[in-house]
Amino acid sequence: MTTLRPFTCDDLFKFNNINLDPLTETYGIPFYLQYLAHWPEYFIVAEAPGGELMGYIMGKAEGSVAREEWHGHVTALSVAPEFRRLGLAAKLMEMLEEISERKGGFFVDLFVRVSNQVAVNMYKRLGYSVYRTVIEYYSASNGEPDEDAYGETGYHLQDMSLKNEKTTYGLASSFIFS
């Protein structure tokens, strides 16, 4: 049985099987520790029965409450190749959305590599829409050109008239993929 639990400092020594994926953006240890210190509730790991890490989501809360821009942001979501197609990414997204809603967020946003069509399609199924393309958002480490990212936004989380219904956030009018 998979365990979904808070990410801990010790997990930094066990998540190479996830982070070695070329589509996963890898950061320095201080970056992960900053997220653990500031937004621990937004940093969740999926663990297999034998203790192997299956995937994780790392996010934060940001924006302006006054302008109804306070929201959850997905900084990283990755599942190890051997644990994909089990619904783990969707479950981790659901958990981050729930945390964002409890924290008073109005929506959730994220960036995704333009070339990562599996992830783009998953986010579309989850109700996310592209609202912009950021040129050369992802740095290439192997001499290839930097990669563009889609900026995507998710659901209104605080629309009480639609309690328990998800509606697409107004910044995005449609997907811009072909």
Side-chain angles (χ1 to χ4, degrees), residues 29-134:
I29 288 181
F31 189 82
Y32 294 105
L33 293 175
Q34 176 187 8
Y35 272 73
L36 274 173
H38 292 285
W39 305 283
E41 64 277 14
Y42 282 88
F43 209 159
I44 304 161
V45 66
E47 184 177 39
E52 183 179 11
L53 299 188
M54 303 166 74
Y56 69 89
I57 192 165
M58 176 174 70
K60 63 183 176 179
E62 63 183 9
S64 166
V65 175
R67 294 192 317 243
E68 295 189 357
E69 294 173 355
W70 185 251
H71 64 280
H73 173 74
V74 179
T75 303
L77 170 60
S78 190
V79 175
E82 62 271 27
F83 297 111
R84 292 187 182 150
R85 306 275 186 202
L86 299 175
L88 283 175
K91 182 62 180 171
L92 290 165
M93 284 295 297
E94 178 185 321
M95 291 178 75
L96 189 131
E97 289 171 354
E98 289 171 2
I99 292 162
S100 296
E101 184 172 15
R102 283 197 309 270
K103 296 283 186 181
F106 291 95
F107 60 96
V108 173
D109 72 355
L110 57 94
F111 292 99
V112 61
R113 291 176 185 274
V114 170
S115 67
N116 191 350
Q117 283 301 302
V118 172
V120 167
N121 291 335
M122 179 197 72
Y123 292 127
K124 184 177 182 178
R125 282 192 308 278
L126 294 176
Y128 286 75
S129 298
V130 170
Y131 68 94
R132 66 179 171 166
T133 300
V134 181

Side-chain angles (χ1 to χ4, degrees), residues 119-177:
V120 167
N121 291 335
M122 179 197 72
Y123 292 127
K124 184 177 182 178
R125 282 192 308 278
L126 294 176
Y128 286 75
S129 298
V130 170
Y131 68 94
R132 66 179 171 166
T133 300
V134 181
I135 306 301
E136 298 179 349
Y137 180 82
Y138 290 103
S139 298
S141 59
N142 55 2
E144 293 182 17
D146 292 345
E147 184 171 352
D148 298 348
Y150 289 135
E152 298 198 12
T153 190
Y155 302 115
H156 260 302
L157 300 171
Q158 296 298 317
D159 190 343
M160 298 314 286
S161 67
L162 297 173
K163 201 173 185 173
N164 296 328
E165 281 189 42
K166 294 182 175 180
T167 58
T168 303
Y169 184 71
L171 284 177
S173 57
S174 64
F175 274 87
I176 55 174
F177 324 112

